[in-house]
Amino acid sequence: MKRLNVGCGRDIKEGWINLDMVKHEGVDVIHDLNKFPYPFKDNTFDIILASQIIEHLDNPLSFIKELWRIAKPGAEINIGTVHFSSPTVWGDITHKRPYQSDTLNYFNIKYKDRKRRALSLANSGKEFFHVNSRIWFRYFFKPLRYVVNINRYTQLIYERWFSSLFRADGQSYDLIVVKPKSMRPKEY
């Protein structure tokens, strides 16, 4: 099982390929994540972790497409970022954009019609995932995660009506890679 830790910084994971743009102890591959393609073959990884990196990138759309390319069909990708309501979202000058619960629904396979034509809500390319998002809270707001994350609609209600009162800390997306049979490696 091949695992990739994208934008690892100093969070080096044993048994993973640790990728970062800065060379320091434990980094296996040095690459600028704003430069495409990444130095990996198609259909390489079973698990990809990208924690607190997407909000720093110039082109998050290309980043997601590149993760899709290097991931195997059925691979799990976990992307963590700050939520738009977080008090720290703009506290870091290197943050380029905020994220909310449905930001990655652009890639959600459930918004593609049965004839495999993209709907206006969905991506018109080939990169699709099963998308599950979660909103995270800190401190005494932590119990809110159980109510807010019941489903997509409770997340949207929270973001629309309550996020200015009860600030979230983070946003995560669990993606399962969906690839057409023609793009799968021969061992599938």
Side-chain angles (χ1 to χ4, degrees), residues 64 68 75 77 79 100-111 123 127-134 151-152 155 171-178:
I64 298 293
W68 182 88
I77 299 174
I79 297 172
Q100 66 184 55
S101 64
D102 62 353
T103 300
L104 296 188
N105 276 340
Y106 176 82
F107 294 101
N108 199 333
I109 191 74
K110 97 177 182 185
Y111 296 117
N123 147 23
E127 300 87 0
F128 284 99
F129 304 91
H130 293 286
V131 178
N132 181 36
S133 70
R134 289 184 313 247
N151 59 41
R152 178 174 176 253
Q155 290 175 339
Q171 174 69 51
S172 66
Y173 305 94
D174 295 319
L175 311 176
I176 304 295
V177 175
V178 177

Side-chain angles (χ1 to χ4, degrees), residues 83-136:
H83 189 264
F84 78 86
S85 71
S86 172
T88 61
V89 72
W90 295 118
D92 183 339
I93 198 166
T94 65
H95 287 177
K96 306 240 168 116
R97 66 161 298 179
Y99 288 81
Q100 66 184 55
S101 64
D102 62 353
T103 300
L104 296 188
N105 276 340
Y106 176 82
F107 294 101
N108 199 333
I109 191 74
K110 97 177 182 185
Y111 296 117
K112 190 169 173 149
D113 76 8
R114 293 173 194 217
K115 295 179 182 174
R116 298 295 181 207
R117 291 189 320 258
L119 299 171
S120 61
L121 178 62
N123 147 23
S124 60
K126 62 184 183 270
E127 300 87 0
F128 284 99
F129 304 91
H130 293 286
V131 178
N132 181 36
S133 70
R134 289 184 313 247
I135 298 171
W136 298 101

Side-chain angles (χ1 to χ4, degrees), residues 43 68 73 126 179-186:
N43 303 307
W68 182 88
K126 62 184 183 270
K179 292 190 178 184
K181 289 183 182 180
S182 62
M183 300 189 76
R184 295 180 182 193
K186 291 182 177 149

Side-chain angles (χ1 to χ4, degrees), residues 31-77:
H31 184 80
D32 182 350
L33 295 174
N34 287 311
K35 305 273 189 253
F36 304 98
Y38 294 167
F40 304 107
K41 293 180 181 175
D42 295 0
N43 303 307
T44 300
F45 296 100
D46 300 289
I47 299 174
I48 298 174
L49 174 64
S51 182
Q52 305 303 316
I53 188 69
I54 194 170
E55 68 273 16
H56 298 277
L57 299 176
D58 295 334
N59 191 339
L61 186 65
S62 294
F63 172 70
I64 298 293
K65 289 181 175 189
E66 192 61 10
L67 294 184
W68 182 88
R69 181 188 69 79
I70 64 176
K72 291 179 179 177
E76 298 173 14
I77 299 174

